[in-house]
């Protein structure tokens, strides 16, 4: 005891033996291993350094994701700014009649071939985009556009088939490639934006901007064609667009833009989208019926309780092995495939989808036919020897439609973000206006444009035709902007490419039907011995029918919204 007290007094600290006389004194080795205050400080410094490194790495990854997301957004806008070259068809379509000696049926066959190639493969392209990312689609667009316009340029340059030029079928083939390129480039851009921004507050604007850019593409390209790449008349004045040079310009430009998209387009945090989709289906009870989610992982222990050491060691080594990583990657891919297939089945089984697609067919078909035949409509209003003034030229009307369409897409995308209703209980009460209200109002404007064109007013006063183009561009642009937004709201963004692709396919049928109707009415008005038609009789009957088609579409959409089993009845804040 005295020794312990003396030790305590000498060293000034309490020894371990002061508490337990039977405990052995620590050896020199054990004392050397015991932590010192300086060692604890070093451990604290190491822990703090690890935390700081973790925060820096997290912020770096977050910044990398943001940069990737907005670079993809910029690339998507660039894609859409160039993808709508087919909307400039009216600038050169009438030259197919006069230079290549095509009939009106043949000219419409060219535009219909492009429409069919643009819309019919959209579900396939959407499927590929959802499962393999948007980049391959942009690469496909580069080759479809580049080769399509190159072939069209040399087909036009060869002259009329009746005078030794290339066969009419070659031009059809060229525009099939152009149509498929349009579909690939547009869909890759819009799907990227929908998946990267579709869960945010401004999903409407994020979709409206690239869709608006698509509408602008026809405007600037038609202006390049009519004001830069034009032919000179005998007296040196500005003539029609030089179609050969214009097609070569489009071939090179669109090929380059497609290659840029193949590098920059990327969906960020797609794994989170898939997990959210799985959770939604799990809450609906659909996962319980799936054999996929009843499978067990062969690399994880089965059951509960203690695992014998040898099994535990094998399990740990397997988790750290490349086999486990390969298994996880495979399961993730299978989960994604299962989810997208389930979402597709759910989408196709929803009766409101068919009402939405039916209305889209009845509205976009007439709109496409109107835009594609603007050149011949203008020509019918100015029989020889009169000619259309610059203010009523095809290029001017393409620009009017593109500009009003762009404004409508941006305005509707922004307003629906601000005014659309929400089901979130945390959101404050405010004035709300459904996206369907905007959709119905836009369709009414487009219908009014058709009825105005069918009336005697425009034939008597052709100077009012820009008003028709402005109304049509506003209504058509808003419908094309609101429909994909509604699809993303009602059915989510996980399978957006496929879902929008299914609905976006129907304008092909609509454009085919209404272009054929326009051709029949036009040809019926051609006088004997002539190849061109003049006056209101060339198109009036067609546009009366188009106006009625728009009214029926409004009825279908109203039923999908407010009818039995509609979105309002389900509590979907659309």
């Amino acid at each position: 005891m005295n020794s312990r007290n003396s030790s305590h007094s000498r060293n000034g600290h309490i020894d371990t033996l002061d508490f337990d006389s039977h405990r052995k004194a620590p050896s020199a080795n054990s004392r050397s291993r015991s932590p010192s205050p300086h060692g604890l400080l070093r451990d604290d410094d190491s822990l703090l350094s690890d935390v700081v490194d973790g925060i820096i790495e997290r912020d770096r990854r977050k910044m990398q994701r943001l940069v990737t997301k907005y670079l993809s957004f910029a690339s998507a806008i660039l894609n859409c700014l160039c993808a709508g070259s087919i909307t400039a068809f009216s600038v050169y379509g009438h030259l197919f009649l006069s230079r290549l000696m095509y009939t009106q049926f043949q000219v419409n066959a060219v535009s219909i071939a492009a429409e069919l190639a643009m819309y019919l493969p959209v579900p396939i392209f959407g499927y590929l985009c959802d499962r393999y990312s948007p980049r391959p689609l942009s690469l496909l667009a580069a080759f479809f556009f580049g080769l399509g316009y190159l072939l069209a340029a040399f087909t036009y340059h060869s002259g009329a088939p009746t005078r030794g030029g290339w066969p009419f079928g070659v031009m059809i083939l060229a525009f099939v490639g152009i149509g498929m390129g349009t579909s690939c480039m547009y869909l890759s851009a819009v799907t990227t934006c929908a998946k990267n921004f579709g869960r945010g507050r401004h999903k409407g604007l994020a979709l409206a901007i690239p869709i608006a850019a698509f509408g602008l593409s026809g405007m600037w390209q038609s202006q390049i064609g009519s004001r830069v790449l034009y032919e000179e008349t005998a007296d040196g004045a500005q003539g029609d667009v030089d179609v050969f040079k214009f097609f070569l310009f489009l071939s090179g430009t669109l090929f380059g833009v497609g290659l840029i998209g193949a590098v920059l387009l990327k969906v960020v945090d797609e794994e989170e989208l898939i997990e959210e989709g799985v959770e939604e289906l799990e809450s609906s009870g659909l996962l319980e019926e799936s054999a996929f989610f009843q499978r067990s992982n062969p690399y994880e222990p089965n059951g509960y309780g203690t695992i014998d050491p040898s099994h535990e060691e094998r399990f740990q080594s397997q988790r750290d092995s490349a086999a486990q990583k390969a298994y996880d990657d495979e399961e993730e891919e299978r989960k994604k495939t299962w989810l997208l297939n389930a979402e597709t089945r759910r989408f196709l089984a929803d009766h409101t989808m068919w009402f939405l697609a039916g209305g889209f067919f009845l509205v976009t078909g007439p709109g496409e036919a109107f835009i594609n035949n603007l050149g011949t409509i203008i020509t019918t209003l100015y029989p020889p020897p009169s000619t259309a003034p610059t203010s009523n030229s095809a290029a001017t009307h393409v620009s009017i439609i593109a500009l009003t369409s762009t404004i409508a897409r941006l305005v509707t995308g922004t307003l629906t973000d601000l005014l659309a209703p929400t089901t979130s209980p945390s959101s404050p009460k405010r004035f709300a206006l459904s996206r369907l209200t905007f959709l119905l109002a836009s369709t009414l404007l487009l219908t009014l444009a058709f009825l105005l064109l069918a009336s005697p007013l425009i034939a008597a006063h052709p100077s009012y035709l820009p008003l028709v183009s402005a109304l049509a561009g506003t209504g058509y642009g808003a419908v094309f902007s609101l429909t994909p937004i509604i699809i993303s709201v009602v059915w989510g963004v996980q399978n957006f490419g496929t879902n929008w692709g299914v609905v976006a396919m129907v304008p092909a049928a609509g454009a085919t039907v209404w272009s054929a109707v326009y051709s029949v009415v036009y040809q019926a008005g051609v006088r004997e011995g002539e190849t061109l038609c003049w006056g209101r009789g060339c198109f009036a009957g067609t546009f009366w029918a188009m106006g009625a088609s728009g009214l029926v579409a409004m009825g279908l959409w109203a039923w999908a919204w407010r009818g039995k089993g509609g979105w309002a009845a389900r509590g979907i804040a659309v």
Side-chain angles (χ1 to χ4, degrees):
M1 177 68 76
N2 293 335
S3 64
R4 289 197 299 271
N5 290 337
S6 61
S7 174
H8 174 236
S9 60
R10 285 196 306 270
N11 299 331
H13 70 276
I14 300 174
D15 198 277
T16 54
L17 293 179
D18 292 333
F19 297 96
D20 189 356
S21 59
H22 300 287
R23 181 180 295 173
K24 293 181 180 180
S27 65
N29 289 338
S30 65
R31 282 179 179 176
S32 66
R33 288 195 302 267
S34 63
S36 68
H38 298 292
L40 288 173
L41 287 175
R42 283 195 297 272
D43 289 343
D44 289 344
D45 289 342
S46 176
L47 177 61
L48 181 61
S49 176
D50 290 343
V51 171
V52 171
D53 289 344
I55 293 174
I56 293 174
E57 179 65 16
R58 183 195 65 192
D59 290 345
R60 186 189 67 81
R61 290 180 180 177
K62 183 178 180 181
M63 180 59 68
Q64 186 179 27
R65 288 197 299 269
L66 282 175
V67 170
T68 301
K69 180 185 288 189
Y70 284 100
L71 273 178
S72 296
F73 187 61
S75 179
I77 293 174
L78 180 62
N79 268 24
C80 285
L81 270 174
C82 298
S85 61
I86 193 65
T87 59
F89 187 85
S90 297
V91 175
Y92 53 82
H94 63 287
L95 296 176
F96 286 1
L97 285 169
S98 57
R99 305 286 178 84
L100 300 183
M101 301 301 178
Y102 291 172
T103 66
Q104 184 62 49
F105 279 115
Q106 288 178 311
V107 173
N108 275 345
V110 172
S111 66
I112 289 171
E115 299 281 352
L116 292 174
M118 180 167 59
Y119 289 118
L120 288 183
V122 171
I124 298 174
F125 293 147
Y127 179 92
L128 295 175
C129 193
D130 283 332
R131 284 151 180 81
Y132 302 106
S133 88
R135 288 175 172 175
L137 246 64
S138 190
L139 184 62
L140 277 176
F143 286 98
F144 281 139
F145 270 133
L147 296 176
Y149 274 117
L150 194 65
L151 185 59
F154 284 98
T155 303
Y156 181 87
H157 191 64
S158 69
T162 55
R163 298 175 183 174
W166 290 7
F168 170 69
V170 180
M171 186 67 82
I172 292 287
L173 179 63
F175 272 81
V176 167
I178 293 166
M180 295 175 74
T182 303
S183 177
C184 286
M185 189 169 283
Y186 169 80
L187 193 61
S188 64
V190 174
T191 302
T192 301
C193 294
K195 294 194 174 187
N196 281 342
F197 299 94
R199 295 173 294 168
R201 179 182 175 186
H202 302 293
K203 56 176 164 284
L205 185 61
L207 276 176
I209 290 175
I211 294 173
F214 182 80
L216 276 177
S217 58
M219 182 183 76
W220 73 264
Q221 288 163 354
S222 64
Q223 292 300 318
I224 290 289
S226 61
R227 297 181 182 275
V228 179
L229 303 174
Y230 59 85
E231 300 172 335
E232 290 187 358
T233 60
D235 58 357
Q238 178 178 324
D240 287 312
V241 58
D242 188 324
V243 179
F244 177 67
K245 292 181 180 178
F246 186 52
F247 283 171
L248 289 180
F249 163 76
L250 292 176
S251 175
T253 302
L254 295 173
F255 180 77
V257 170
L259 292 182
I260 293 173
V263 174
L264 295 181
L265 291 177
K266 181 175 175 59
V267 177
V268 179
D269 295 332
E270 188 174 18
E271 297 80 6
E272 293 183 10
L273 281 176
I274 300 302
E275 290 298 330
E276 287 181 8
V278 170
E279 289 174 6
E280 290 176 7
L281 292 180
E282 188 176 28
S283 63
S284 68
L286 292 177
L287 296 194
E288 297 176 1
E289 303 172 4
S290 173
F292 172 82
F293 289 92
Q294 296 172 5
R295 297 177 61 209
S296 60
N297 187 340
Y299 298 105
E300 290 185 355
N302 295 321
Y304 299 93
T306 304
I307 305 175
D308 63 274
S310 60
H311 187 188
E312 186 174 8
E313 290 173 2
R314 289 197 304 272
F315 168 65
Q316 186 61 36
S317 64
Q318 288 168 343
R319 283 187 62 86
D320 297 335
S321 67
Q324 173 64 32
K325 185 178 183 302
Y327 178 83
D328 289 343
D329 291 342
E330 181 187 354
E331 288 298 285
E332 192 67 31
E333 188 62 30
R334 291 185 70 253
K335 183 191 293 185
K336 176 181 176 181
T337 301
W338 180 89
L339 172 69
L340 296 180
N341 290 340
E343 291 283 0
T344 302
R345 289 191 295 270
R346 185 168 71 99
F347 179 72
L348 294 175
D350 192 336
H351 72 280
T352 60
M353 183 281 290
W354 297 102
F355 286 118
L356 179 66
F360 200 58
F361 164 83
L362 293 172
V363 169
T364 56
E368 295 278 353
F370 170 72
I371 293 171
N372 289 339
N373 291 288
L374 252 177
T376 56
I377 293 171
I378 294 168
T379 304
T380 63
L381 298 176
Y382 294 93
S386 62
T387 57
T390 305
S391 60
N392 239 359
S393 67
T396 299
H397 282 273
V398 169
S399 298
I400 290 172
I401 291 174
L403 188 60
T404 54
S405 173
T406 300
I407 294 173
R409 293 173 189 193
L410 290 175
V411 169
T412 52
T414 304
L415 289 180
T416 53
D417 277 343
L418 297 174
L419 301 177
T422 178
T423 55
S424 175
S426 60
S427 299
K429 289 188 176 181
R430 56 175 174 79
F431 174 74
L433 207 57
S434 172
R435 294 177 177 89
L436 266 296
T437 303
F438 287 96
L439 184 63
L440 295 174
S442 303
T443 307
L444 187 60
L445 288 178
L446 184 60
T447 300
L448 180 61
F450 295 151
L451 296 178
L452 191 60
L453 184 56
S455 72
L457 177 65
I458 301 301
H461 303 281
S463 59
Y464 291 162
L465 187 59
L467 175 62
V468 173
S469 293
L471 289 172
T474 302
Y476 182 78
V479 167
F480 248 101
S481 176
L482 290 166
T483 305
I485 294 173
I486 290 170
I487 289 173
S488 70
V489 170
V490 177
W491 292 283
V493 298
Q494 291 87 353
N495 203 40
F496 176 83
T498 304
N499 294 348
W500 171 227
V502 170
V503 176
M505 179 176 62
V506 300
T512 302
V513 170
W514 288 107
S515 292
V517 170
Y518 177 85
S519 296
V520 169
V521 174
Y522 182 95
Q523 288 297 137
V526 176
R527 297 172 184 171
E528 188 176 350
E530 296 185 0
T531 58
L532 301 178
C533 181
W534 312 103
R536 175 172 166 263
C538 303
F539 55 78
T542 301
F543 287 99
W544 283 124
M546 288 181 177
S549 177
L551 295 175
V552 174
M554 293 174 66
L556 291 178
W557 285 335
W559 183 258
W561 177 27
R562 293 290 185 180
K564 184 178 179 181
W567 301 321
R570 298 185 209 170
I572 299 175
V574 69

